[in-house]
Each structure stands twice: as C-alpha cells, then as structure tokens.
Amino acid sequence: MSSLKFKHVSFSYDGSAQRLFSTIDFGVSTGWTGVLGRNGAGKTTLLRLACGELAPREGLVFAPSHAVYCPQRTDTPMVQFAGVSRGHKRGGRTGCAVASTLKKIGCSAGTV
C-alpha cells in the first residue's frame, strides 16, 4: 500500500499555457524516497503538491497528514543544521524552522 499517491494529477501555474504535469499516476511506499531531475523539471512543484502546499488542477493527491516540505536552501550551507540535529541550541530562524519541522513529523533533535 502506498503512503503517498497521485491519481490522475495535472498541474500548471497560473498564467502558464503549458501544463507542468498532465494526468500523472504513481504511489510511494513508506520509507525514504528520492526525487531526481534536471533544473526546472518540476521536482519542487511535485513535492509541494505532495505536501498540500499546492493544489492540483485536476486529480487527487493522497498523502499522510504529517507530510512536510523542507525547502532547499543554497544560501545557508547544511553545516548550519549540524548543531540542531545533535540537540544543541541554535539561534536564528533556521534552527527554529528545523526544530519545528522535526516536531511536525514526530521526531526530536536527539533522534535524528
């Protein structure tokens, strides 16, 4: 059984004459899954649809209620998260966002 399922999903951004996705169907089982593709292929849009941040134009997305999207950050190196994952206090919005996301998915900083 899939924990994430797209059924006949189509999506386009407002003002775009072309659909980014057209009638896609797939399911993803519980566990780690990667999304690969070239720049601009729609990876982020797909993940935002999966987490409910975007709504499909057509079709349905079935996802767990605890699905979250963690945006890719190129301006803040991953080193910034090292202290948070070890349970150390870290100031600033990045540390708070990571802690908040971990809490949403049922993890604590000491368990990752």
Side-chain angles (χ1 to χ4, degrees), residues 76-96:
T76 306
M78 290 302 291
V79 175
Q80 299 285 334
F81 299 111
V84 176
S85 66
R86 291 192 193 104
H88 301 292
K89 287 188 177 182
R90 172 167 159 56
R93 297 182 70 198
T94 303
C96 293

Side-chain angles (χ1 to χ4, degrees), residues 5-25:
K5 188 172 186 175
F6 280 55
K7 187 169 176 109
H8 307 298
V9 171
S10 295
F11 181 81
S12 62
Y13 283 101
D14 292 337
S16 176
Q18 187 175 3
R19 287 183 176 181
L20 184 58
F21 302 119
S22 184
T23 320
I24 58 173
D25 290 282

Side-chain angles (χ1 to χ4, degrees), residues 2-11 21 23-28 35 42-52 54-56 58-64:
S2 298
S3 63
L4 170 66
K5 188 172 186 175
F6 280 55
K7 187 169 176 109
H8 307 298
V9 171
S10 295
F11 181 81
F21 302 119
T23 320
I24 58 173
D25 290 282
F26 72 92
V28 177
V35 178
K43 300 177 298 291
T44 298
T45 301
L46 182 76
L47 295 172
R48 290 181 66 203
L49 284 163
C51 293
L54 294 173
E58 298 173 6
L60 298 169
V61 176
F62 301 95

